[in-house]
Amino acid sequence: MSDLGYATRELFIQFMHRIQIEIPKSTLAMFSKLKYINSPNFELFRARWTADYLDGFVVHSRAFDGLKGNFPIGFLVWNLSKNVPAKGVQTIALDRTGQVIGEKVFYRELVRSPLSEWIVRPRSNKQDALPLKGALLPTESTKDVRGDKWADGAIGSMIVFGNDFQHSAQTALLSSGYGNAGAFFVTEENLWQAAIVFAVRRLLKPTWLNDRDQFLQPSQPLTDEFKSDCLVWMLFNGSNLTAGADGLHWNNQDWSLTNHFIPFTERELGAKARFESDFMVRYMAGMAFSLEAQAVLDESRKLFQRFHVTSFPNKIRQEYKLGRADAGWYQVRRALEANGDTELTDFDPFKAAYAALGEKLRPTVYELGFLPA
């Protein structure tokens, strides 16, 4: 079974393989996860599994005692006597009481290349970098660690685990390298793509039924407005973990983070010191923004301004490393929330503007082909 690659790790795949070889004229009906239908790790198995798909249904994993998580379990029927590999597996979706709630197609082969291959990942150089596991948290390990080198022209890194919905929440933007696998360097050249990847992966919420759906490269041209909308949506998402900070410790050294992702000038915000980088202001100069994106920029600017006139207690300053002027969105919102100054800091207008931008962008994920319809 060595020619089946990663799939051989699954016991049910071993049974399917033996049945195909030893009982080639049989009809197979079974409950199982659906990774053998559309997971990239199962391509070698699918090349061998050419049985004719007859029919089937899917139910929520929690319909079975002892199973955790939110993913589909399929009951699929295959005719092994026919060599008819299905392009897509169309199923009926049932709820836990057996009632039909819709239909779902699981595609055997991606109709386009995966989104994970859309961005050319810059190569690392020999410059040391701080490997992070969060906005201000260096990784604990010093062995077999990733992200401890930088890249030419890098302004940050983006965490992107997997290419399917079940991993979509593992998407974040950092001001340094990431301590584990599943990240790429963000540069001026690929920033527009990085913002789109970030937005596409986080705009829609995973459900048990779309859990294994694969993100795809776009099938339609992308407008400048869509690109700038995604950029603004990324900059003010809760998983934008970029920061400006000193005094981070890792591997017996002190490290600093430079924040390249502030879309405002010091003068706009009333900052008391200069920012080390004005990259984002220069990058966004001359961009035209939709009404929804402009509203997010206007409301977030007010929160940045409130941050820069607030005298935070030492506990908050230490926790969020507020010793530099170029604090990032993560530090701004967390510090304001921790300060509890609700009379002076109203997040509601920002939240409403940000929600409106998300509502505008959400349908485009399907319209532009980032997910199969």
Side-chain angles (χ1 to χ4, degrees):
M1 296 180 63
S2 60
D3 58 344
L4 299 184
Y6 182 91
T8 58
R9 300 183 184 184
E10 299 286 349
L11 185 60
F12 80 97
I13 292 294
Q14 297 177 31
F15 277 108
M16 292 175 70
H17 184 65
R18 284 195 61 185
I19 292 170
Q20 186 177 32
I21 293 174
E22 299 176 16
I23 321 175
K25 301 297 183 181
S26 62
T27 298
L28 173 64
M30 68 172 186
F31 283 102
S32 71
K33 294 181 179 180
L34 296 171
K35 58 178 68 176
Y36 74 100
I37 301 295
N38 61 1
S39 172
N41 288 332
F42 287 71
E43 288 183 5
L44 293 176
F45 173 76
R46 284 195 293 274
R48 298 282 296 274
W49 185 257
T50 57
D52 182 21
Y53 171 67
L54 299 179
D55 206 351
F57 62 85
V58 292
V59 295
H60 195 296
S61 57
R62 294 186 181 177
F64 296 82
D65 290 340
L67 287 184
K68 298 180 180 180
N70 293 292
F71 54 87
I73 296 290
F75 180 78
L76 308 184
V77 184
W78 303 89
N79 180 1
L80 278 68
S81 66
K82 292 186 178 181
N83 182 9
V84 187
K87 292 184 179 179
V89 173
Q90 185 164 356
T91 65
I92 297 171
L94 307 177
D95 65 16
R96 280 183 268 185
T97 67
Q99 298 298 310
V100 176
I101 59 174
E103 296 183 350
K104 178 66 177 176
V105 178
F106 299 89
Y107 291 95
R108 176 187 176 99
E109 303 296 339
L110 297 182
V111 295
R112 285 179 302 286
S113 298
L115 186 62
S116 59
E117 298 176 0
W118 194 43
I119 295 178
V120 177
R121 296 172 179 245
R123 291 182 177 275
S124 58
N125 57 26
K126 296 182 180 180
Q127 181 182 345
D128 290 336
L130 174 64
L132 296 169
K133 64 176 182 179
L136 300 167
L137 296 174
T139 185
E140 296 172 353
S141 173
T142 57
K143 295 181 180 179
D144 301 322
V145 68
R146 313 289 180 93
D148 62 344
K149 297 296 179 183
W150 206 226
D152 294 346
I155 55 174
S157 67
M158 184 172 289
I159 306 171
V160 279
F161 276 120
N163 189 62
D164 54 14
F165 248 118
Q166 66 174 319
H167 293 101
S168 61
Q170 294 174 289
T171 308
L173 184 64
L174 298 169
S175 283
S176 189
Y178 182 57
N180 294 317
F184 65 85
F185 293 109
V186 178
T187 66
E188 182 173 2
E189 289 71 29
N190 69 16
L191 175 57
W192 69 274
Q193 289 177 296
I196 291 170
V197 168
F198 184 103
V200 164
R201 286 172 58 95
R202 296 206 66 102
L203 274 164
L204 297 170
K205 299 299 183 182
T207 69
W208 73 269
L209 201 51
N210 68 19
D211 184 70
R212 296 297 189 268
D213 284 0
Q214 300 288 319
F215 292 105
L216 306 173
Q217 295 184 21
S219 60
Q220 305 296 323
L222 306 179
T223 65
D224 289 341
E225 181 172 305
F226 174 75
K227 295 175 184 178
S228 60
D229 279 351
C230 286
L231 177 62
V232 172
W233 196 86
M234 177 185 74
L235 289 177
F236 298 102
N237 185 271
S239 289
N240 171 9
L241 304 182
T242 55
D246 295 324
L248 301 177
H249 304 284
W250 183 76
N251 199 19
N252 298 317
Q253 295 184 52
D254 291 335
W255 301 80
S256 296
L257 297 177
T258 299
N259 184 9
H260 298 282
F261 291 87
I262 303 175
F264 309 116
T265 65
E266 299 92 334
R267 184 174 181 180
E268 284 181 276
L269 303 183
K272 298 179 177 63
R274 300 221 18 136
F275 301 155
E276 189 169 333
S277 170
D278 64 350
F279 169 84
M280 194 54 63
V281 170
R282 291 185 289 105
Y283 184 84
M284 295 172 65
M287 281 188 181
F289 295 102
S290 67
L291 293 177
E292 294 83 355
Q294 189 61 57
V296 172
L297 288 169
D298 292 342
E299 294 301 331
S300 60
R301 186 186 297 106
K302 296 175 185 177
L303 294 176
F304 266 92
Q305 290 169 342
R306 168 52 51 191
F307 171 86
H308 281 284
V309 298
T310 299
S311 297
F312 293 100
N314 187 61
K315 180 181 178 181
I316 294 177
R317 294 186 61 82
Q318 292 298 320
E319 182 176 359
Y320 296 108
K321 305 294 183 184
L322 304 183
R324 294 168 54 127
D326 59 345
W329 174 240
Y330 170 84
Q331 295 161 292
V332 167
R333 62 185 178 83
R334 288 296 184 91
L336 288 173
E337 290 168 351
N339 201 45
D341 194 357
T342 54
E343 293 185 2
L344 296 176
T345 306
D346 185 2
F347 280 86
D348 288 343
F350 165 79
K351 290 179 179 179
Y354 190 76
L357 179 58
E359 286 300 309
K360 177 191 177 187
L361 280 170
R362 211 158 278 121
T364 63
V365 176
Y366 287 100
E367 293 169 3
L368 297 175
F370 289 105
L371 283 168

